[in-house]
Structures are given as structure tokens and as C-alpha cells.
Amino acid sequence: MLDGRDKKIIDYLQRDAAVPVADLADTVGLSVSACWRRIKNLEDSGLIARRVVLVDRRKANVAMTVFVAVRTSRHSIGWLDTFREVIGAIPEIVEAYRLTGEMDYLLRLVVPSVEVYDTVYKELISKLDFMDVSSFISMEELKFTTAVPMNYI
């Protein structure tokens, strides 16, 4: 069971995983060793899955976000496994979800241009059959976060 300090540690690390443990310990009111032990326990439990670096997409020349909604007439484990393999090999696809409702899958891509998206699209349709592929180019990012709320634990 997490207490308030654990939640504060996670909240803070979600904003800045590179914060020195001494600064974090001071912020949450713990000694450095106690804070480090808590972080280690959160990692060992799997609640902190990993620490990563967030790259500025504009500086990495992949500022365009494209959402791709996919419908398929094939609903087999074999097709799904192939789909996972195909999308896993395309680095421009940064997120993929299986959905309920009219669309079967939603993909989020980051690309530098429509031309590069078209190349990815052609790669997808050359490897799998789809009933429908609809693309939506993001005009503006209104909110983006990787942080998850801690108030449900």
C-alpha cells in the first residue's frame, strides 16, 4: 500500500525523473536513504515501470502527429499477431490501441511530413489487408502528458 510520500515521489518523478534524490528527499520530507529505498521499492514492485527521456519532437524533426483509425474484416489471433509484428517494426508508430466500437485499432504516428506518412501508410497496406484506414492529422496539441494520476491508488 502506498502512502502520501510514495505518491508525492511518483508525482515528482513523473515530472522530472532526473531530479537528484537529495532534492526529492527534501521535497517529500525524507532522508536521502529512506527516499532512495522507497524509489527502489516502487521500481521493484513494477509501479515505476521505467525511467525514460522525453524527446522534443520538433527538434527531432517529427513534429507532425497523425492518428490512424483502422478497420479490418479479419478478427483472428493470427491476423492480430501479424499486425502487432508489422506495427512494432515501424518506428513512426509510437502508440497503438485495440478498440471497441466502429474502429478496430487506433494508431498514433509522429512524422516530419505527409510524404513520410504516405510511405508508412503504403508499408502498412502492403503487409496487411484492411477494410478501412482513416487518417487524421493533428492541427494542434492541446494537452500531452505521460503522467498518470496518483489519486486512484
Side-chain angles (χ1 to χ4, degrees):
M1 189 70 162
L2 298 183
D3 65 15
R5 286 185 175 150
D6 289 328
K7 291 177 184 180
K8 285 180 183 178
I9 288 169
I10 293 170
D11 276 336
Y12 202 94
L13 288 175
Q14 286 188 107
R15 285 182 269 136
D16 182 6
V19 64
V21 176
D23 293 350
L24 182 56
D26 188 50
T27 299
V28 299
L30 292 169
S31 70
V32 173
S33 59
C35 186
W36 181 86
R37 278 193 305 273
R38 284 178 182 247
I39 294 168
K40 181 77 172 115
N41 288 338
L42 292 165
E43 289 173 336
D44 291 346
S45 74
L47 186 58
I48 295 178
R50 64 182 186 258
R51 298 191 216 184
V52 299
V53 171
L54 299 178
V55 173
D56 183 312
R57 290 192 347 261
R58 292 188 194 298
K59 291 180 180 177
N61 194 34
V62 287
M64 180 180 285
T65 299
V66 182
F67 295 94
V68 179
V70 173
R71 285 180 44 198
T72 181
S73 59
R74 305 269 319 265
H75 294 279
S76 68
I77 296 299
W79 190 93
L80 178 57
D81 289 344
T82 302
F83 183 64
R84 283 182 205 267
E85 189 176 304
V86 168
I87 64 173
I90 300 172
E92 292 84 359
I93 300 173
V94 295
E95 294 181 66
Y97 302 92
R98 189 165 55 94
L99 307 174
T100 62
E102 289 190 33
M103 290 297 155
D104 297 311
Y105 302 93
L106 182 64
L107 310 176
R108 185 171 74 89
L109 289 75
V110 294
V111 293
S113 65
V114 171
E115 292 79 15
V116 172
Y117 167 64
D118 189 47
T119 301
V120 173
Y121 168 80
K122 289 174 182 172
E123 183 177 354
L124 276 172
I125 64 170
S126 74
K127 295 181 177 177
L128 288 164
D129 290 323
F130 299 104
M131 179 186 288
D132 182 51
V133 177
S134 299
S135 303
F136 307 90
I137 295 173
S138 171
M139 300 294 291
E140 179 183 6
E141 183 178 279
L142 300 176
K143 179 179 180 179
F144 174 82
T145 182
T146 60
V148 298
M150 291 282 82
N151 53 324
Y152 298 101
I153 294 180

